[in-house]
Amino acid sequence: MAKKKVAVDFEQSLGDLQKLVERLESGELSLEDSLTAFEQGVSLTRDCQQALSQAEQKVQLLVEQHGNLSTEPFDGPVE
């Protein structure tokens, strides 16, 4: 269930970040409110980057060799 919680936290943080960007882009915030929103955005961005980094580290490719399963890092296709 921890995996689901991480995904929810990432989605929630990303949604909150999008709302903050919209508020900042509206131009209706005071300077003080804009700075507070910016600080929150930086924190949310760090949270999202950390969640993505953790997910990337967990992604592994299962490989069958001689009837035994082993894991190796997932590099993904080069596009």
Side-chain angles (χ1 to χ4, degrees), residues 6 8-24 35-53:
V6 171
V8 171
D9 290 345
F10 174 78
E11 294 295 329
Q12 182 66 45
S13 294
L14 188 58
D16 292 346
L17 184 57
Q18 290 172 334
K19 290 176 188 172
L20 277 175
V21 169
E22 289 171 4
R23 288 180 56 211
L24 286 166
L35 288 173
T36 300
F38 181 79
E39 289 173 0
Q40 291 171 342
V42 169
S43 178
L44 287 168
T45 300
R46 288 182 182 150
D47 292 344
C48 288
Q49 287 175 335
Q50 183 179 14
L52 288 173
S53 178

Side-chain angles (χ1 to χ4, degrees), residues 2 5 7-8 16 18 20 25 27-31 39-40 42-43 47-48 56 59 61-63 67-68 75-76:
K5 184 176 188 278
V8 171
D16 292 346
Q18 290 172 334
L20 277 175
E25 288 178 340
E28 297 177 7
L29 296 176
S30 67
L31 178 59
E39 289 173 0
Q40 291 171 342
V42 169
S43 178
D47 292 344
C48 288
E56 183 179 5
V59 174
L61 180 64
L62 287 174
V63 178
N68 296 320
D75 294 327

